[in-house]
Amino acid sequence: MSDVLLGLAGNPSLPLASVDRLIATADGEFAEALAERPDLTRAQVVALAARDQGAALQLTYILCPGAPVAEAPRPCLFPRAERR
């Protein structure tokens, strides 16, 4: 994985439109790095989770802390993701 891409994934100054473009091609370690962004919109969370299983698990651990993954209730899916 490119250090440049990982740096972009964690850059808080990156515009949301650019984050959307990165999510569209994200997989593996890069998708998981994007999953750690605190400013993801609900749509971005859903798109990222759909692209990569590792990112989906990462998002579940971040956004539904303490909920066992197999038992995470559907309404809990990403309650902290902002609506934009």
Side-chain angles (χ1 to χ4, degrees):
M1 175 55 42
S2 165
D3 289 338
V4 172
L5 288 177
L6 290 176
L8 280 174
N11 183 344
S13 299
L14 195 64
L16 290 179
S18 297
V19 175
D20 287 335
R21 293 176 66 191
L22 293 175
I23 289 171
T25 61
D27 61 356
E29 184 181 2
F30 183 49
E32 291 178 27
L34 284 169
E36 295 179 11
R37 292 184 63 93
D39 61 345
L40 293 175
T41 65
R42 184 174 299 267
Q44 289 171 329
V45 167
V46 170
L48 189 54
R51 284 210 46 85
D52 185 81
Q53 183 178 7
L57 288 173
Q58 182 79 7
L59 289 163
T60 301
Y61 292 135
I62 292 170
L63 299 172
C64 299
V69 174
E71 298 176 19
R74 293 280 181 220
C76 175
L77 287 180
F78 321 118
R80 288 185 14 210
E82 296 179 24
R83 292 180 191 217
R84 294 186 189 184

